[in-house]
Amino acid sequence: MDERAFNRYPHEFSGDQRQRIGIARPLAVNPEILVADEPISALDVSIQAQILKLLDEIRDRMNLSMVFITHDLRVAAQVCDRLAVMRYGKIVENGLTAKIFDAPQHSYTRDLLAAVPGQNWER
């Protein structure tokens, strides 16, 4: 964003600009771990792709570990090396994302994967 943004109020930013600001704030303290809680929810698909690309670039550039919290298994398949599936606040399955998607062990995980629209996720 350019310097004109300095004097703007939060409501004067677009949804994707607010999302980028929300990502930038914790990065200002140079963390080792970034917790991204639903960082692309409520954004349209093209903006989601931009934010995911930005997070990937940041992770590589800053050598960050990231905890990526999402309800969207298609997104998890794209961005997560490891996955923990939770039900009622408890982890029911965890491991390498590809292994979980290829051979889910828990019935809840199988149900979640069966409910993914289209089931054409990329790993």
Side-chain angles (χ1 to χ4, degrees), residues 83-113:
L83 186 68
V85 177
M86 296 182 72
R87 183 174 191 199
Y88 302 127
K90 294 187 179 178
I91 295 174
V92 296
E93 184 166 0
N94 71 76
L96 296 174
T97 302
K99 281 186 142 184
I100 290 175
F101 273 70
D102 290 339
Q105 300 300 303
H106 194 276
S107 61
Y108 182 68
T109 306
R110 287 191 293 272
D111 290 345
L112 286 176
L113 290 171

Side-chain angles (χ1 to χ4, degrees), residues 6-121:
F6 183 75
N7 291 317
R8 290 168 59 189
Y9 291 97
H11 71 276
E12 296 176 309
F13 292 100
S14 68
D16 66 305
Q17 288 173 323
R18 285 194 299 267
Q19 205 77 335
R20 291 170 199 268
I21 292 167
I23 292 167
R25 288 174 57 201
L27 294 175
V29 295
N30 223 10
E32 293 179 23
I33 299 172
L34 177 66
V35 177
D37 189 356
E38 296 284 358
I40 61 169
S41 64
L43 296 175
D44 68 50
V45 175
S46 63
I47 301 299
Q48 286 182 359
Q50 290 175 18
I51 297 294
L52 290 174
K53 183 177 182 217
L54 175 66
L55 286 170
D56 194 41
E57 290 169 2
I58 289 168
R59 184 176 57 191
D60 288 344
R61 189 172 350 120
M62 296 182 73
N63 195 29
L64 281 174
S65 294
M66 186 175 1
V67 177
F68 192 93
I69 302 165
T70 184
H71 289 89
D72 191 332
L73 290 176
R74 291 175 293 189
V75 172
Q78 291 176 29
V79 300
C80 300
D81 300 321
R82 299 186 58 81
L83 186 68
V85 177
M86 296 182 72
R87 183 174 191 199
Y88 302 127
K90 294 187 179 178
I91 295 174
V92 296
E93 184 166 0
N94 71 76
L96 296 174
T97 302
K99 281 186 142 184
I100 290 175
F101 273 70
D102 290 339
Q105 300 300 303
H106 194 276
S107 61
Y108 182 68
T109 306
R110 287 191 293 272
D111 290 345
L112 286 176
L113 290 171
V116 173
Q119 299 188 26
N120 291 323
W121 47 77

